[in-house]
Short mmCIF file of all heavy atoms in Angstrom, two decimals:
data_model
loop_
_atom_site.label_atom_id
_atom_site.label_comp_id
_atom_site.label_asym_id
_atom_site.label_seq_id
_atom_site.Cartn_x
_atom_site.Cartn_y
_atom_site.Cartn_z
N THR A 12 201.71 113.46 194.80
CA THR A 12 201.70 112.65 193.55
C THR A 12 202.66 111.43 193.76
O THR A 12 202.25 110.34 193.32
CB THR A 12 202.16 113.49 192.40
OG1 THR A 12 201.28 114.54 192.23
CG2 THR A 12 202.19 112.63 191.08
N LEU A 30 197.56 86.62 193.01
CA LEU A 30 197.19 85.91 191.84
C LEU A 30 198.23 84.84 191.48
O LEU A 30 197.88 83.85 190.82
CB LEU A 30 197.02 86.89 190.68
CG LEU A 30 195.87 87.90 190.81
CD1 LEU A 30 195.79 88.77 189.58
CD2 LEU A 30 194.50 87.16 190.97
N GLU A 41 214.79 80.68 195.89
CA GLU A 41 215.57 81.50 196.67
C GLU A 41 215.31 81.43 198.14
O GLU A 41 216.17 81.55 199.00
CB GLU A 41 215.39 82.96 196.18
CG GLU A 41 215.88 83.16 194.79
CD GLU A 41 217.37 82.80 194.60
OE1 GLU A 41 218.18 83.15 195.52
OE2 GLU A 41 217.67 82.19 193.61
N ARG A 48 212.27 79.57 207.89
CA ARG A 48 210.99 80.06 208.49
C ARG A 48 209.98 78.88 208.60
O ARG A 48 209.93 77.98 207.74
CB ARG A 48 210.33 81.07 207.55
CG ARG A 48 211.18 82.35 207.48
CD ARG A 48 210.49 83.41 206.66
NE ARG A 48 210.30 82.99 205.25
CZ ARG A 48 209.10 82.68 204.71
NH1 ARG A 48 208.01 82.74 205.50
NH2 ARG A 48 209.01 82.29 203.47
N THR A 53 197.20 75.31 206.79
CA THR A 53 195.84 74.73 207.02
C THR A 53 195.23 74.28 205.71
O THR A 53 195.32 75.03 204.78
CB THR A 53 194.91 75.71 207.75
OG1 THR A 53 195.45 76.17 208.96
CG2 THR A 53 193.54 75.17 208.02
N ASP A 77 211.33 76.57 218.56
CA ASP A 77 210.77 76.47 219.90
C ASP A 77 209.67 77.52 220.05
O ASP A 77 208.58 77.20 220.69
CB ASP A 77 211.81 76.60 220.94
CG ASP A 77 212.78 75.39 221.06
OD1 ASP A 77 212.45 74.35 220.56
OD2 ASP A 77 213.90 75.59 221.61
N GLN A 84 200.22 72.27 219.28
CA GLN A 84 200.36 70.80 219.59
C GLN A 84 200.94 70.12 218.30
O GLN A 84 200.22 69.73 217.35
CB GLN A 84 199.00 70.18 219.94
CG GLN A 84 198.39 70.80 221.20
CD GLN A 84 199.16 70.54 222.42
OE1 GLN A 84 199.80 69.42 222.55
NE2 GLN A 84 199.23 71.43 223.31
N VAL A 90 206.25 67.64 208.90
CA VAL A 90 207.13 68.79 208.48
C VAL A 90 207.48 68.66 206.96
O VAL A 90 208.03 67.66 206.54
CB VAL A 90 208.42 68.89 209.36
CG1 VAL A 90 209.26 70.12 208.91
CG2 VAL A 90 208.12 68.95 210.80
N CYS A 141 219.90 69.58 205.31
CA CYS A 141 218.56 69.29 205.21
C CYS A 141 218.28 67.82 205.12
O CYS A 141 217.25 67.33 205.70
CB CYS A 141 217.86 69.98 204.04
SG CYS A 141 216.17 69.57 203.69
N PHE A 143 219.71 65.54 206.74
CA PHE A 143 219.73 64.98 208.03
C PHE A 143 218.54 65.43 208.86
O PHE A 143 218.16 64.73 209.83
CB PHE A 143 221.10 65.33 208.80
CG PHE A 143 222.28 64.69 208.11
CD1 PHE A 143 222.98 65.29 207.06
CD2 PHE A 143 222.63 63.36 208.46
CE1 PHE A 143 224.01 64.70 206.45
CE2 PHE A 143 223.70 62.74 207.88
CZ PHE A 143 224.37 63.39 206.88
N SER A 147 215.39 62.88 210.55
CA SER A 147 214.85 62.94 211.92
C SER A 147 213.40 62.54 212.05
O SER A 147 212.86 62.28 213.13
CB SER A 147 215.02 64.33 212.50
OG SER A 147 214.09 65.26 211.83
N ALA A 173 237.18 76.48 199.32
CA ALA A 173 237.72 75.46 200.26
C ALA A 173 239.11 75.00 199.90
O ALA A 173 239.97 74.80 200.81
CB ALA A 173 236.81 74.27 200.32
N ARG A 174 239.42 74.86 198.68
CA ARG A 174 240.75 74.40 198.24
C ARG A 174 241.86 75.33 198.50
O ARG A 174 242.96 75.03 198.85
CB ARG A 174 240.76 74.06 196.75
CG ARG A 174 240.11 72.69 196.50
CD ARG A 174 240.13 72.36 195.02
NE ARG A 174 240.72 71.08 194.67
CZ ARG A 174 240.71 70.42 193.57
NH1 ARG A 174 240.17 71.12 192.47
NH2 ARG A 174 241.15 69.30 193.34
N LEU A 183 240.87 71.50 211.92
CA LEU A 183 240.62 70.07 211.62
C LEU A 183 240.00 69.35 212.77
O LEU A 183 239.15 68.50 212.54
CB LEU A 183 242.02 69.43 211.31
CG LEU A 183 242.75 69.96 210.03
CD1 LEU A 183 244.10 69.30 209.92
CD2 LEU A 183 241.88 69.76 208.83
N ALA A 194 227.77 61.57 212.88
CA ALA A 194 227.64 60.07 212.84
C ALA A 194 226.72 59.52 213.96
O ALA A 194 225.87 58.74 213.65
CB ALA A 194 229.05 59.47 212.92
N LYS A 195 227.00 60.01 215.11
CA LYS A 195 226.06 59.55 216.24
C LYS A 195 224.64 59.90 216.00
O LYS A 195 223.80 59.04 216.16
CB LYS A 195 226.53 60.18 217.53
CG LYS A 195 225.71 59.64 218.74
CD LYS A 195 226.22 60.27 220.05
CE LYS A 195 225.52 59.59 221.26
NZ LYS A 195 224.03 59.57 221.14
N ALA A 208 228.82 57.86 204.23
CA ALA A 208 229.83 57.57 203.23
C ALA A 208 229.59 58.38 201.88
O ALA A 208 230.46 58.95 201.34
CB ALA A 208 229.85 56.08 202.85
N TRP A 216 234.12 71.53 196.78
CA TRP A 216 234.44 72.09 195.48
C TRP A 216 233.91 71.29 194.29
O TRP A 216 234.04 71.67 193.12
CB TRP A 216 235.91 72.29 195.29
CG TRP A 216 236.74 71.09 195.49
CD1 TRP A 216 237.00 70.05 194.67
CD2 TRP A 216 237.41 70.76 196.72
NE1 TRP A 216 237.77 69.09 195.23
CE2 TRP A 216 238.04 69.45 196.50
CE3 TRP A 216 237.54 71.35 198.00
CZ2 TRP A 216 238.76 68.85 197.56
CZ3 TRP A 216 238.28 70.68 198.98
CH2 TRP A 216 238.93 69.46 198.71
N SER A 245 192.81 57.67 216.83
CA SER A 245 193.46 56.53 216.28
C SER A 245 194.48 56.93 215.25
O SER A 245 194.58 58.14 214.78
CB SER A 245 192.43 55.61 215.59
OG SER A 245 191.80 56.26 214.58
#
Side-chain angles (χ1 to χ4, degrees):
T12 299
L30 295 178
E41 292 305 316
R48 294 183 298 110
T53 301
D77 288 342
Q84 297 296 325
V90 181
C141 173
F143 294 90
S147 71
R174 277 182 133 172
L183 296 178
K195 182 179 188 309
W216 52 83
S245 63

